[in-house]
Amino acid sequence: MRHITLLFLAGILLSFCSCRSDFETVASTGDLTFSKDTVYLDTVFTNLSSSTYTLKVYNHSKNDINIPTIKFNKGLNSKYRMSVDGAQGNQGKLFENVTLLAKDSLYIFIETTVETDNATPTEFLYTDQIEFDGGANLQKVELVTLVQDAILLYPNRNADGTTETLPIGNEKKNGFYLDKNDPIHGNELHFTNKKAYVIYGYAAVPEGETVTFDPGARVYFHANSGLIVSKKASIHINGSTSVTDKLENEVIFSSDRQQPDFAYVPGQWGTIWLQEGSVNNTIQNLTLKNATVGLLIEGNDGATVSIKNTQVYNCTHYGIQAKNGLIKGENIVINYTGEASLACTYGGNYKFTHCTFNNNWSSPGQVAVFISNYSTAATPETKDLTQATFNNCIIYGSYSNELFLSKKTGATFEYQFNNCLIKSNNTKDPLYQFDTDPVHYNTITLNKDPKFFNPNINNFNIDNTSSAFAKGNSTYLIPLDILGNTRTLPPDLGAYQNKPFPK
């Protein structure tokens, strides 16, 4: 009997559902609400598709409604396209008779591919509106996109249809050599500040050539892209001090994902790789963000890599990774890296002055500075670390030990820290005798908070309440800080001269 009752109820329910093959809707009354009044698609590069942005549309009424039309104000000529709950409509531009149930919502996904010619000449903005219904019930959501003109650099297609590749390590990846006589772009080895550059794949500097970046150059890398400086080739990054927060004279390397949600996401592109045998490399006033490894510097055959006034942020593995490198660094700031902000491995020769090496990565395995004289992946396994000197530097972060020294027998291991603020609790290890080893440590400020302004957004300014305030030694003075401010005596530790924090 119980089974018969259940079957009878199921039959009634099925009969009710089958009678309602279509929802009974009422016309839209212009009372839709939206997750945003304006959708900003952020910066896109000319002729490149944007990321996908979301708009949510709500029906708060008790009725299922019918929206007669959802369309762009510019109609089928709009440079925007959308899908409505997965439907593509007419060319992604026009949707008719869209049903929205009571107390429900629908998703609209929006993209654009636009040229600078379509934008307003003075503001470089491309705008449109999504229109819901019409007449007295018309509702609108604004769309705004900043369009940036760009030079696109990418691998060519070979005659057999395959993509041009470069040997990278033991494998081949999509890549190409920069050409100083390119028929389309002219000198690809000279990056100016006239237009932005977007690089697909790995761009390589040919042997014997120099790639130059003017002040204000902007280079954006797509996923799995980077820059390689080959043997006997050089890189000259010639940024200079900016006078505004727009960093107008800074050279910037970043991901081509320009929307705010990706501003602090590591690993969006590859690396800047100074290969073994590259020469005469100079880097000044560079900001590099969101790479896998920021700067990868291999043995330089006695040629010093000069790095000044440089910031490296949000890298999956390392900010600067040197393998038997030769580096002189001044006013460098690195933060938020998955393994080490600065890694000086497999020996080499390094001197850093007035640098801030911090690491606020969330896992406890990261460090700010890692130094070793060996590599398990190389032959021979050890090489001499002839110098690793840090003067007036800050080595800090979210972990209890932000300095990691790793020494193997078979090669020298020379290191020295002078007037540095260091976070470490390894005081029982013979490599970390901060107070009793004057050969390796002089005037160390241990485990004191430097009180950075906001390391979570990579702001490492300090004020006069910082433990780094006036703790430097004038013997190692770099007269100007990373922003071009004059240092006072005695100088502060790290890359920044103190100033009052904004209120």
Side-chain angles (χ1 to χ4, degrees):
M1 183 68 181
R2 182 179 180 184
H3 294 295
I4 295 174
T5 302
L6 289 174
L7 288 171
F8 177 72
L9 292 173
I12 292 174
L13 180 62
L14 180 62
S15 174
F16 173 78
C17 293
S18 63
C19 290
R20 191 175 180 185
S21 58
D22 294 309
F23 289 108
E24 297 178 3
T25 62
V26 299
S28 172
T29 58
D31 293 323
L32 300 171
T33 60
F34 309 100
S35 58
K36 302 173 184 177
D37 294 326
T38 302
V39 179
Y40 296 96
L41 278 77
D42 299 302
T43 302
V44 298
F45 300 105
T46 184
N47 285 325
L48 294 182
S49 179
S50 71
S51 298
T52 302
Y53 294 78
T54 302
L55 174 69
K56 201 169 183 181
V57 184
Y58 301 93
N59 172 18
H60 293 297
S61 75
K62 298 179 180 180
N63 299 313
D64 301 337
I65 64 172
N66 175 70
I67 307 171
T69 59
I70 300 176
K71 64 184 181 68
F72 294 114
N73 176 267
K74 294 181 179 178
L76 298 180
N77 293 321
S78 179
K79 297 298 180 180
Y80 292 103
R81 54 192 177 275
M82 60 181 161
S83 65
V84 177
D85 270 354
Q88 300 303 310
N90 184 352
Q91 304 175 48
K93 316 284 186 181
L94 172 64
F95 299 79
E96 296 180 311
N97 297 317
V98 177
T99 297
L100 182 52
L101 302 182
K103 305 295 184 180
D104 203 353
S105 61
L106 60 81
Y107 282 94
I108 296 181
F109 300 100
I110 309 155
E111 297 177 336
T112 186
T113 304
V114 61
E115 301 176 19
T116 51
D117 291 346
N118 303 126
T120 55
T122 55
E123 298 178 326
F124 298 101
L125 294 177
Y126 181 73
T127 61
D128 203 344
Q129 298 169 330
I130 301 178
E131 296 183 345
F132 298 82
D133 207 335
N137 295 327
L138 176 64
Q139 292 181 269
K140 299 179 180 181
V141 172
E142 302 288 337
L143 303 176
V144 179
T145 304
L146 176 64
V147 186
Q148 188 169 359
D149 201 2
I151 294 172
L152 309 183
L153 303 175
Y154 49 86
N156 291 318
R157 289 280 184 181
N158 297 317
D160 60 0
T162 60
T163 302
E164 185 179 4
T165 61
L166 289 172
I168 299 177
N170 296 322
E171 58 182 320
K172 291 186 177 181
K173 293 188 177 182
N174 290 346
F176 59 99
Y177 283 101
L178 296 169
D179 185 354
K180 64 182 178 181
N181 295 305
D182 184 80
I184 299 174
H185 305 128
N187 187 358
E188 293 179 336
L189 291 166
H190 183 194
F191 287 70
T192 72
N193 56 20
K194 305 301 182 185
K195 292 184 179 182
Y197 295 80
V198 181
I199 293 179
Y200 287 76
Y202 278 85
V205 185
E207 184 174 330
E209 299 290 351
T210 298
V211 62
T212 302
F213 297 84
D214 289 350
R218 301 289 190 262
V219 185
Y220 301 96
F221 294 88
H222 195 62
N224 302 313
S225 298
L227 178 67
I228 296 174
V229 183
S230 309
K231 182 179 180 181
K232 295 184 180 180
S234 305
I235 185 171
H236 291 171
I237 298 177
N238 299 326
S240 60
T241 303
S242 300
V243 297
T244 74
D245 292 338
K246 294 182 178 180
L247 301 177
E248 66 277 1
N249 295 322
E250 191 91 355
V251 174
I252 296 179
F253 292 169
S254 184
S255 162
D256 64 349
R257 303 293 296 272
Q258 291 298 288
Q259 55 269 45
D261 289 348
F262 287 84
Y264 298 98
V265 177
Q268 296 179 53
W269 57 283
T271 186
I272 306 300
W273 187 357
L274 279 56
Q275 291 188 327
E276 185 170 3
S278 64
V279 296
N280 192 26
N281 297 308
T282 60
I283 298 172
Q284 184 159 316
N285 288 89
L286 168 69
T287 295
L288 187 156
K289 301 179 289 185
N290 311 122
T292 301
V293 174
L295 297 173
L296 173 57
I297 301 173
E298 295 184 324
N300 305 110
D301 293 343
T304 300
V305 178
S306 174
I307 307 174
K308 298 180 180 180
N309 304 325
T310 290
Q311 305 172 67
V312 183
Y313 300 128
N314 308 103
C315 295
T316 310
H317 297 294
Y318 305 99
I320 297 177
Q321 180 185 15
K323 300 178 180 180
N324 192 36
L326 179 54
I327 300 175
K328 182 179 180 182
E330 300 174 356
N331 290 334
I332 298 172
V333 182
I334 308 177
N335 184 43
Y336 202 76
T337 58
E339 296 186 49
S341 291
L342 172 69
C344 300
T345 65
Y346 200 36
N349 187 299
Y350 311 98
K351 184 178 180 181
F352 297 99
T353 306
H354 277 295
C355 295
T356 299
F357 300 117
N358 191 79
N359 202 345
N360 269 45
W361 193 269
S362 56
S363 71
Q366 52 74 30
V367 295
V369 173
F370 172 67
I371 302 172
S372 81
N373 64 347
Y374 65 89
S375 170
T376 56
T379 304
E381 187 178 83
T382 61
K383 281 199 174 183
D384 289 338
L385 178 69
T386 58
Q387 177 181 223
T389 299
F390 295 77
N391 302 316
N392 292 351
C393 291
I394 298 175
I395 299 171
Y396 201 77
S398 55
Y399 186 41
S400 58
N401 291 302
E402 291 295 346
L403 172 63
F404 185 31
L405 307 176
S406 189
K407 172 185 176 181
K408 285 192 174 183
T409 59
T412 60
F413 192 78
E414 299 294 336
Y415 61 98
Q416 188 175 59
F417 296 83
N418 301 308
N419 295 81
C420 292
L421 187 156
I422 300 174
K423 188 176 184 181
S424 174
N425 65 5
N426 267 330
T427 54
K428 295 182 179 180
D429 191 304
L431 291 175
Y432 305 93
Q433 297 306 301
F434 302 107
D435 297 325
T436 60
D437 180 5
V439 173
H440 297 111
Y441 300 100
N442 294 286
T443 317
I444 301 302
T445 301
L446 190 62
N447 296 325
K448 299 292 185 180
D449 190 350
K451 296 182 180 178
F452 298 126
F453 179 55
N454 193 343
N456 292 324
I457 59 171
N458 299 319
N459 188 330
F460 291 94
N461 283 288
I462 61 172
D463 68 4
N464 59 11
T465 68
S466 169
S467 298
F469 172 70
K471 295 292 180 61
N473 190 326
S474 58
T475 302
Y476 314 116
L477 178 70
I478 305 298
L480 302 179
D481 79 350
I482 192 171
L483 300 177
N485 299 314
T486 301
R487 284 191 167 95
T488 56
L489 297 179
D492 303 330
L493 304 181
Y496 289 91
Q497 169 69 18
N498 77 87
K499 63 178 183 179
F501 289 155
K503 296 181 180 179

